[in-house]
């Protein structure tokens, strides 16, 4: 079970160190029924046993408590020496993990339009519109006036391809506003649920709010699959879960990515100034 704590947006002056202390305090007060963790916790909390340990074992214990595997901690200490600072040992482990991961060989997820995304619009896509990608999503969108002008400019050509001048004008507006084809010579703005699909959010992730609020929140959001690609290295680093400090991450793209990777969120402290984003994330 994860514990999520929202930090009131009226406290923007809270220091990062205080937030981290708050996370630690929350973790200490969180009880768990996980039988596998119980023996380890009782052993770690026995200060007398810890004090009697050799320095090497104390350092190893410290690393394990931070979430590293015993084998990783042991290898790092053997290679770097028992007197090496914890920060250097952490760097050693991270570098070792990076050398064995194939993340760098992967390519960022790519969704082509209209075939892979929005395939229902494929039949309306003219042969002279060769777009396969959309531009960066914005917090605003094209107006009805813009789409009407495009329709009027194309209507007179019926079944013929418009002249290059008209094509250039239409494609320029389509790229500017990320317009898609939804009918014969008709373009439309992306609907909020279509943007959710493009950004790989759960269906109806922002449902229940006005279109204006949904456009604004989605326009300032992460592409979840891309974030998951970069976060995938954390799966091996934190197999037992992770506590997160989320600073202005919007509608939870980073948290959704971690969830899809199967990385348990033990505690999450969020700082977000937008009440709409806070409500969506809840």
């Amino acid at each position: 079970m994860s514990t999520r704590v929202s930090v009131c947006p009226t406290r923007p002056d809270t220091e990062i160190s205080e937030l981290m202390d708050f996370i630690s305090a929350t973790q200490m007060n969180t009880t768990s029924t996980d039988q596998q963790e119980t023996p380890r916790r009782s052993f770690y909390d026995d200060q007398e046993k810890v004090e009697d340990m050799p320095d090497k074992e104390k350092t190893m214990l410290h690393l394990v408590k931070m979430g590293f595997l015993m084998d990783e901690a042991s290898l790092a200490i053997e290679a770097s020496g028992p007197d090496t600072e914890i920060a250097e040992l952490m760097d050693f482990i991270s570098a070792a993990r990076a050398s064995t991961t194939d993340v760098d060989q992967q390519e960022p997820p790519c969704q082509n339009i209209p075939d892979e995304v929005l395939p229902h619009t494929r039949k309306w896509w003219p042969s002279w519109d060769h777009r396969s990608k959309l531009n960066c999503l914005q917090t605003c969108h094209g107006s009805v006036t813009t789409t009407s002008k495009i329709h009027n400019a194309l209507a007179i050509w019926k079944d013929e391809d418009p002249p290059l001048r008209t094509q250039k004008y239409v494609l320029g507006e389509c790229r500017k506003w990320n317009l898609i084809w939804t009918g014969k010579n008709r373009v439309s703005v992306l609907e909020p649920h279509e943007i959710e699909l493009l950004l790989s959010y759960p269906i109806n992730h922002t449902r229940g709010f006005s279109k204006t609020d949904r456009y604004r929140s989605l326009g300032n959001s992460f592409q979840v699959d891309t974030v998951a690609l970069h976060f995938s290295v954390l799966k091996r680093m934190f197999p037992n879960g992770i506590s997160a400090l989320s600073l202005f991450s919007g509608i939870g793209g980073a948290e959704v990515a971690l969830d899809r990777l199967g990385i348990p969120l033990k505690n999450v402290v969020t700082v977000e100034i937008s009440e709409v984003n806070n409500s969506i994330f809840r």
Side-chain angles (χ1 to χ4, degrees), residues 108-152:
C110 182
Q111 297 177 316
N112 293 320
I113 58 169
D115 295 324
E116 296 179 20
V117 185
L118 313 175
H120 59 283
T121 68
R122 171 73 273 182
K123 63 179 180 179
W124 304 118
W125 221 264
S127 60
W128 44 269
D129 187 347
H130 302 294
R131 288 179 298 158
S132 61
K133 304 288 186 297
L134 294 175
N135 286 334
C136 182
L137 297 175
Q138 305 175 34
T139 57
C140 56
H141 55 84
S143 64
V144 175
T145 301
T146 300
T147 56
S148 296
K149 286 182 178 180
I150 291 174
H151 175 66
N152 293 335

Side-chain angles (χ1 to χ4, degrees), residues 219-220 233:
N220 288 318
V233 295

Side-chain angles (χ1 to χ4, degrees), residues 42-57:
S42 61
F43 178 74
Y44 289 164
D45 290 341
D46 192 335
Q47 294 299 321
E48 292 183 0
K49 290 183 178 180
V50 172
E51 291 299 327
D52 292 337
M53 286 182 177
D55 291 341
K56 176 182 176 180
E57 292 188 16

